[in-house]
Amino acid sequence: MSQNGYTLTPETTTITPGEPTDFRFTVIGPDGRPVTGYQTLHGKKLHFIVVSRDLGGFQHLHPEPVGEGVWSVKLTLPEAGAYRAFADFAPEGGTGLTLGADLHAGGAYEPRALPALSRTSTVDGYTVELDGALTPGASSKLTLKVSKDGRPVTDLQPYLGAYGHLVALRAGDLAYLHVHPDGEPGDGRTQPGPEITFYAEVPSRGDYRLFLDFQHEGDVRTAAFTARAGELPTPATASSPTPAATPSASDSHGDHNH
């Protein structure tokens, strides 16, 4: 909730499942006062991400300032349970920060298991395929390919300054990871699909949940994946006659990082 003297402070404390709520919050700065100056990043001054604790639900919202450092956003938590909210921003004169806060929608609920590992996600008639592996401690290249009705989508529309926006969260503690797009619309080399490339930096082995927002034909859709970082390679058998002919796991890891 706090980093570098900045703290995310929700003002709304009661959320009823299934009902739209005017959710309000402030970011308190190192001087103890609400922050009022923000840099514009990815087309917005503040990005607000809300996920269920079991990582089954995801919302990417954009609050509006209502004065004196207070932000307001219409938030609907679909069902009872525990949620995590993230404010992603950069204060004027400072560096980018991601601050979190726990939210609760009252009522009985049963936490669900993490969705199974997946390389394909379908949403509203679109299919998104994930290529690439997450490597702990290194920048990992992830390529997502978008198609509709079996045909590659080659006219994606810019969303938040890119042809896609990817959020990565670690299962368990819901650590929010920074993911960087490769290129941007209008740079002369980045194509509007079907492939969107990102670089993700994951700190540890384990399972991660990836959420891709992309825009096509005027609507933003979200494709979700579960990926695992740090899968061990299949060990070579002791009777292998030519162990030197194949690079070792450490050699391959070094080449990937390099």
Side-chain angles (χ1 to χ4, degrees), residues 158 161-163 180-193 195-197 199:
Y163 287 121
H180 310 285
D182 181 30
E184 60 184 30
D187 63 6
R189 65 180 182 86
T190 303
Q191 300 299 315
E195 295 183 346
I196 317 170
T197 299
Y199 290 89

Side-chain angles (χ1 to χ4, degrees), residues 143-181:
T143 301
L144 296 110
K145 186 175 181 179
V146 183
S147 62
K148 183 180 182 182
D149 300 328
R151 299 179 180 179
V153 174
T154 58
D155 57 346
L156 291 171
Q157 296 165 324
Y159 176 63
L160 303 177
Y163 287 121
H165 188 276
L166 187 66
V167 169
L169 297 167
R170 185 168 57 190
D173 65 354
L174 273 62
Y176 184 103
L177 309 177
H178 290 281
V179 185
H180 310 285

